[in-house]
Amino acid sequence: MPQDSRARLIAYLCQAGLSTPRANAVLDQYTHALADRQRQFAEKRYNDDAPPIPYAGYLGMLDAADSIDPMAEAGS
């Protein structure tokens, strides 16, 4: 059984009937959408909270979004 969480999820989706390429595409699409939601939340919170809260706290949220977004590395 795969140990990596992404590999486990891909294996589960394949057992549910998706092909491996389709399972990867579905997971990439989901994580991209999740990262976009996280970026929007960080930017909204910063705009709502500014100036009392330093922007550095929100940079961490944006970095986290980039770390899960498969399209961030591709420059999208």
Side-chain angles (χ1 to χ4, degrees), residues 4-47:
D4 168 277
S5 59
R6 181 182 174 91
R8 284 195 314 264
L9 185 52
I10 295 297
Y12 176 79
L13 292 172
C14 289
Q15 288 175 354
L18 272 67
S19 68
T20 301
R22 180 69 183 136
N24 275 296
V26 166
L27 189 54
D28 284 350
Q29 181 181 10
Y30 176 78
T31 54
H32 175 68
L34 181 63
D36 278 347
R37 288 177 54 204
Q38 185 170 346
R39 287 185 196 100
Q40 290 169 5
F41 175 79
E43 290 165 5
K44 180 184 182 320
R45 289 296 310 213
Y46 173 70
N47 291 331

